[in-house]
Amino acid sequence: MSAIIGSRARGRPRTRHRLPPAPVAPARASRYPAGMDTHITDCIVIGAGIAGATAAAHLSAERRVVLIEAEEAAGVHTSGRSAALWVANGGPEYERTLAQESFAFLNTPPPGFAATPILTERPVAFAVPPEQLADLHEILASRSNIREISVAALRAMIPAIRPGYAVAAALETGNFDIDVDVLLQGYLRLARSHGATVAFRRRSHCIAHQDGHWRVETVSGASFHAPVLVNAAGAWGDEVAVQAGLRPLGLTPKRRTAVVIDPAPFEVASWPRLYDPRRSWYCKPEARARLMISPADATPTHAQDVQPEEIDIAITIERMQQVLDIPVRRVERAWAGLRTFTPDGAFAFGEAIEANRFFWFVGQGGDGILTSAAAGRLLADLVAGRAPDWLPGAARILPAIDPRRFAAA
Ligand SMILES: Cc1cc2nc3c(=O)[nH]c(=O)nc-3n(C[C@H](O)[C@H](O)[C@H](O)COP(=O)(O)OP(=O)(O)OC[C@H]3O[C@@H](n4cnc5c(N)ncnc54)[C@H](O)[C@@H]3O)c2cc1C
């Protein structure tokens, strides 16, 4: 095998089950243009966001893995642009379960995974205007870790709350900030310590299935061969499927905006996150005593290096100022990211409708970070054909996220 690009692991060897060696390169390389950089392995993962990184970390415990990424670094797209929240109470059963099952890993990662904590507790406060009282009561009735507090108590925590805005308030505990970069680098380090290779600047553009092997050719002229292909390309998931001649799922990337301001004269470091019950906006303390605000927008778009729109930045500030009396002299930073959804909004984890050992690992929407640890473990089980005995409710969850549910569409 020719030398592999990128940051090949020099991690210590581990005792682990390895698959039999793949066919040797020279015989196959001769089928491709002379000079093509050819690599043969057990599994190719496309996309080094949080999904591809956790996939590589888990899959590489039992097979040789190459993770290829179009950009110069991991997490350049959605995974580097999130709000970084671990929530206790979100969404449908599959999402809550994957979040809960991820918690132990994120809270107590394996030795050597991270030098600093991944999770930091941060409660969520709700400021409730009159027209959202019914929404608050619904939330209070459906969750155990939330309690109503007085508006005065809310203002004691967040003195910037405008007098007269909130008629009720609540505080939810058991939520955490996630250090996404530490988590992402931890997955990559774990993958490398298992012998996986991470190859940056390798954008797939042509994928073929031949003799039981996937052949992924990249724009830069490298060629990767493996019997298993994992599509963790986020917003580009359908594009990768089309490259492989498979049916796209109908993914929709949705733009979400984030704006960072200097909240002076307020000191926000100890503030909880602040939402309204309808989640029409939120804010949270950001590094260096700044405040991150999002209008919780979800504008359908296409896969791209998405940028924030001026109008969304203006809406963000306006929505925040209805609730908080904070002067905004200038926006320090703004970004947008793509939250990508399947047609029914649920994740798509598992083998493609066309089979052939092409695995979808996409559609994580707004929850890909907080569910990532269990999601990677689940994907490794699906690739190995193992029942995920550790996953409560697996018999209900697997059909809900199986990409083959779109077969009839
Ligand atoms: C504003 C915002 C707030 C969010 N808040 C939260 C939150 O609080 N908690 C939470 O859990 N989640 C949150 N999310 C969602 C979370 O960020 C995503 O679910 C997650 O990052 C998706 O990860 P991914 O790896 O699938 O996608 P990405 O990070 O986009 O990774 C896909 C990668 O594939 C690469 N790629 C694409 N095509 C190719 C190709 N042909 N060849 C090689 N590489 C390719 C791309 O370059 C990219 O690096 C938020 C998202 C946004 C935008």
Side-chain angles (χ1 to χ4, degrees):
M1 191 185 299
S2 50
I4 295 245
I5 337 86
S7 31
R8 167 105 195 153
R10 273 188 224 98
R12 67 192 160 82
R14 278 191 152 206
T15 311
R16 63 201 169 95
H17 168 68
R18 271 197 178 263
L19 294 181
V24 285
R28 300 200 126 253
S30 62
R31 292 201 212 159
Y32 305 110
M36 184 169 260
D37 195 8
T38 302
H39 309 275
I40 297 175
T41 187
D42 299 324
C43 177
I44 303 160
V45 179
I46 299 182
I50 203 83
T54 185
H58 287 86
L59 289 162
S60 59
E62 11 183 47
R63 34 175 61 76
R64 295 175 305 168
V65 171
V66 173
L67 170 58
I68 67 168
E69 165 56 48
E71 303 289 353
E72 299 202 340
V76 166
H77 292 287
T78 309
S79 299
R81 308 177 188 202
S82 87
L85 174 66
W86 190 93
V87 279
N89 277 311
E93 182 188 16
Y94 73 84
E95 184 192 314
R96 290 194 312 273
T97 308
L98 289 172
Q100 287 296 348
E101 293 300 313
S102 295
F103 183 80
F105 185 100
L106 302 183
N107 203 32
T108 318
F113 186 88
T116 52
I118 294 167
L119 296 181
T120 310
E121 188 148 21
R122 168 109 38 211
V124 172
F126 291 84
V128 187
E131 68 278 10
Q132 294 191 31
L133 263 178
D135 303 275
L136 174 69
H137 291 139
E138 215 172 282
I139 293 174
L140 288 169
S142 63
R143 301 182 188 172
S144 56
N145 57 336
I146 182 166
R147 67 190 161 87
E148 198 161 359
I149 59 172
S150 67
V151 173
L154 177 69
R155 293 197 73 220
M157 278 186 282
I158 304 179
I161 299 274
R162 276 190 193 280
Y165 169 80
V167 294
L171 190 69
E172 186 181 65
T173 52
N175 298 304
F176 295 80
D177 284 343
I178 308 172
D179 192 325
V180 179
D181 190 50
V182 168
L183 180 61
L184 182 65
Q185 296 307 327
Y187 287 138
L188 295 176
R189 200 175 307 113
L190 186 58
R192 288 170 175 141
S193 77
H194 291 162
T197 296
V198 185
F200 295 118
R201 296 181 296 277
R202 295 292 179 271
R203 179 184 297 279
S204 73
H205 79 125
C206 177
I207 304 176
H209 196 245
Q210 195 181 355
D211 304 335
H213 269 64
W214 289 101
R215 187 182 85 228
V216 177
E217 288 179 11
T218 68
V219 173
S220 52
S223 166
F224 298 88
H225 305 244
V228 174
L229 180 61
V230 173
N231 177 2
W236 290 265
D238 274 349
E239 195 178 297
V240 165
V242 170
Q243 289 171 6
L246 303 188
R247 199 152 21 130
L249 294 183
L251 299 173
T252 305
K254 295 186 179 175
R255 186 178 69 235
R256 175 154 290 186
T257 308
V259 172
V260 173
I261 61 158
D262 178 353
F266 297 98
E267 299 210 347
V268 301
S270 64
W271 284 11
R273 285 177 181 242
L274 183 63
Y275 290 173
D276 64 3
R278 289 185 193 160
R279 295 281 291 264
S280 65
W281 80 290
Y282 59 88
C283 70
K284 62 155 205 156
E286 183 78 358
R288 295 184 302 281
R290 297 298 188 258
L291 193 67
M292 184 210 124
I293 316 155
S294 174
D297 47 339
T299 311
T301 180
H302 59 276
Q304 59 177 306
D305 181 9
V306 69
Q307 300 301 318
E309 301 280 326
E310 288 296 326
I311 180 75
D312 291 329
I313 296 173
I315 289 170
T316 307
I317 302 296
E318 196 222 319
R319 234 169 249 179
M320 181 277 289
Q321 287 189 322
Q322 285 171 10
V323 186
L324 299 177
D325 189 5
I326 299 180
V328 178
R329 283 169 216 90
R330 70 184 178 92
V331 167
E332 294 211 340
R333 209 151 57 87
W335 70 86
L338 297 175
R339 296 152 73 248
T340 297
F341 297 88
T342 64
D344 64 8
F347 296 177
F349 295 175
E351 199 168 8
I353 296 156
E354 298 87 345
N356 282 342
R357 314 283 292 147
F358 178 106
F359 289 84
W360 289 93
F361 196 43
V362 298
Q364 289 90 335
D367 304 295
I369 314 270
L370 67 100
T371 54
S372 60
R377 186 176 175 192
L378 176 59
L379 178 80
D381 282 350
L382 295 173
V383 169
R386 266 192 312 264
D389 298 333
W390 52 273
L391 187 69
R396 287 184 304 277
I397 289 171
L398 293 184
I401 61 174
D402 189 336
R404 288 170 293 194
R405 69 191 186 276
F406 299 117

